[in-house]
Amino acid sequence: MRLQIFASFLVAYSTTHGASLPYEAWRVGFSAPNYMEVWIETADVIDIQGQVYRRAMSGVAAIQTPPRNTGNPKGWPVKPAWGKGKYLTGADLPKKIYVRWQSLVEPQTYQMGIDIPESAREVMRKEEKAYCAADGKWITGYREALVIGLAPGGVAKLWALGPCLTPVEITRVQAEVDPRGPYEGGSGGKHRPLSPVSKAYVEKFGVPYGSW
């Protein structure tokens, strides 16, 4: 009920907007552990000015599915990638992110609202020098991206990332099951299909609950 109220709030809540971030746009991205496929129905963002960005992201989350079951889905990476997503041009820094997604290996539909703390926005505003080993250069940059990892069981983790900068873990969230099911009940309980390679992995090794 709480998240349904929040979703309704997204439709109604909008105020005058003016960006205060020190770069043109920040990015939101999504990833999932190996083989643990995810379909994002919607990711809606409210920035600190109160501006609402509905469906800031939807579709598949970034994932690796190595052949012959050679990947390892357990745990989160030490250095998470930027995930699949996009820049929110014109948006101020985020205040809240609402996500509803299908965990295809279960299958189950989850929803959550992530409150972004001021400490995270401070991390995103902070200018830092960093050495980029790929080209051997020092740069001055920002953690201009938020990456959300989505795992079975409704577990989510949020990081702030920037080019050549050390990732900063922001929070871990336990989502709740959306009782309406996939597509807010619009598909008759039918989730999107799991790919053959992920299906083969899960049938052989199962889902490593508790590792995220």
Side-chain angles (χ1 to χ4, degrees):
M1 178 63 69
R2 173 176 54 83
L3 284 173
Q4 291 176 16
I5 292 172
F6 175 69
S8 299
F9 171 77
L10 279 169
V11 177
Y13 191 72
S14 180
T15 63
T16 303
H17 172 64
S20 63
L21 62 165
Y23 33 82
E24 290 187 2
W26 64 275
R27 185 180 189 275
V28 60
F30 293 85
S31 63
N34 290 3
Y35 309 107
M36 305 292 112
E37 294 177 6
V38 162
W39 178 264
I40 301 161
E41 294 186 1
T42 188
D44 305 321
V45 174
I46 300 176
D47 72 10
I48 57 175
Q49 302 294 334
Q51 187 70 26
V52 177
Y53 296 84
R54 291 189 60 84
R55 293 182 68 83
M57 172 61 185
S58 60
V60 296
I63 191 171
Q64 295 185 28
T65 54
R68 300 183 297 279
N69 298 329
T70 55
N72 181 9
K74 295 180 180 179
W76 299 108
V78 175
K79 293 184 177 180
W82 282 44
K84 186 173 182 180
K86 65 179 182 180
Y87 282 89
L88 276 69
T89 303
D92 210 322
L93 292 174
K95 179 179 181 180
K96 192 156 193 168
I97 302 175
Y98 168 77
V99 189
R100 188 178 66 252
W101 79 96
Q102 298 177 31
S103 174
L104 304 184
V105 297
E106 300 181 76
Q108 188 61 271
T109 304
Y110 296 101
Q111 58 182 354
M112 65 180 176
I114 305 175
D115 292 308
I116 309 300
E118 177 59 27
S119 59
R121 291 187 287 274
E122 291 175 358
V123 166
M124 296 178 75
R125 294 188 189 104
K126 185 179 179 181
E127 182 181 85
E128 286 193 22
K129 292 186 179 296
Y131 180 74
C132 294
D135 54 14
K137 295 181 180 179
W138 283 88
I139 67 164
T140 300
Y142 297 89
R143 292 178 178 87
E144 61 192 52
L146 289 181
V147 177
I148 301 172
L150 301 174
V155 177
K157 185 165 280 193
L158 176 68
W159 298 268
L161 277 69
C164 304
L165 298 174
T166 303
V168 173
E169 182 179 324
I170 303 300
T171 189
R172 181 183 184 275
V173 178
Q174 176 61 57
E176 61 185 31
V177 173
D178 187 341
R180 299 168 297 178
Y183 302 108
E184 300 178 277
S187 67
K190 186 176 181 180
H191 290 81
R192 293 181 65 87
L194 188 63
S195 72
V197 64
S198 291
K199 183 178 180 180
Y201 182 92
V202 172
E203 287 178 347
K204 185 172 183 179
F205 298 104
V207 177
Y209 292 108
S211 66
W212 302 294

